[in-house]
Amino acid sequence: MKIGLTGGIATGKSTVSRMLVSRGALLIDADVLAREVMEPGHPVLEAVADRFGRDMLLPDGTLNRKKLGAHIFAHPEERLALNAITHPAIRAETKRRIEEYETNYPEKLVVVDIPLLYESGQGSLYETIMVVYVPREVQLMRLIERDGLDGAEAEARLSSQMDIEQKKQLADIVIDNSRGLAETEEQIERFWKSCGLS
């Protein structure tokens, strides 16, 4: 069985994925895959440097994430160009790992954590989608505290994603992560048992 896990920035997807993994789920994290394709020597990093400029690389050949991030958020249309380079490679590796896990561990739950699952049109690839939810004002506060952003920067980041209320409406399963870890654990445990997982 596989599920798509998503939510919004600073809603707590990593917390929920850790809870699922601690119960025996296998995790494929799109953010981790996105970092892997940006490693020195990977053709995706080369393509990004060719498109956005060699000055997006640090002297050691690694990606200057802060600089590229600032560029993307200042020029939203450039996000499309970046996605066109990175998304096909990330999707191909995600598919490969899903197939590998389903073949080798058919009894396990496979959780595919994709922050922009709906935005990237991947909702139809999963029979079940779990959305990690907190109200937008909580999301904004957590983002400011976590990333040290000012209010305007945090708002810009939230506005670059589908509104969390929309994601909540589209979800098959909603995990409300605004009431504390114990409550989140209880929701995960109920989900786990409802799937017949032990």
Side-chain angles (χ1 to χ4, degrees):
M1 176 185 176
K2 72 177 187 286
I3 65 168
L5 175 68
T6 194
I9 190 169
T11 58
K13 292 181 305 300
S14 297
T15 298
V16 167
S17 65
R18 279 194 299 273
M19 291 176 181
L20 291 165
V21 167
S22 74
R23 286 167 169 79
L26 300 171
L27 177 66
I28 300 168
D29 186 332
D31 279 347
V32 171
L33 297 183
R35 285 193 288 277
E36 288 176 7
V37 302
M38 291 295 197
E39 290 293 323
H42 198 290
V44 170
L45 178 61
E46 280 305 306
V48 167
D50 288 345
R51 169 62 178 76
F52 293 95
R54 307 304 292 183
D55 61 330
M56 290 295 175
L57 301 178
L58 294 166
D60 64 358
T62 59
L63 179 67
N64 186 335
R65 294 181 180 281
K66 197 164 189 172
K67 187 169 187 176
L68 181 61
H71 177 74
I72 294 302
F73 282 108
H75 306 90
E77 70 284 356
E78 291 282 72
R79 184 180 296 108
L80 297 175
L82 179 63
N83 291 348
I85 296 168
T86 59
H87 283 186
I90 296 165
R91 286 186 189 189
E93 181 59 17
T94 299
K95 185 172 185 284
R96 188 194 71 74
R97 291 192 193 185
I98 289 170
E99 289 169 357
E100 178 187 320
Y101 286 163
E102 288 184 329
T103 299
N104 295 330
Y105 308 98
E107 76 290 353
K108 296 266 191 183
L109 174 68
V110 179
V111 178
V112 187
D113 181 344
I114 306 176
L116 301 178
L117 185 143
Y118 290 121
E119 292 90 334
S120 59
Q122 297 182 72
S124 62
L125 300 178
Y126 300 91
E127 297 138 22
T128 304
I129 297 176
M130 176 183 285
V131 167
V132 182
Y133 170 82
V134 299
R136 196 174 197 279
E137 60 272 15
V138 175
Q139 200 182 1
L140 187 66
M141 182 186 70
R142 287 183 182 176
L143 183 57
I144 290 168
E145 289 174 3
R146 186 189 78 185
D147 293 0
L149 304 175
D150 65 33
E153 289 171 322
E155 282 285 358
R157 300 233 172 157
L158 288 189
S159 296
S160 73
Q161 297 185 350
M162 180 188 288
D163 185 83
I164 192 63
E165 297 298 336
Q166 277 183 276
K167 291 184 180 185
K168 182 182 179 183
Q169 293 302 316
L170 291 168
D172 300 301
I173 301 154
V174 176
I175 301 296
D176 187 332
N177 192 35
S178 65
R179 304 183 209 137
L181 286 177
E183 173 64 26
T184 301
E185 280 277 10
E186 284 178 23
Q187 293 172 75
I188 294 299
E189 186 62 21
R190 283 196 298 273
F191 162 74
W192 194 259
K193 287 178 175 169
S194 76
C195 295
L197 298 162
S198 57

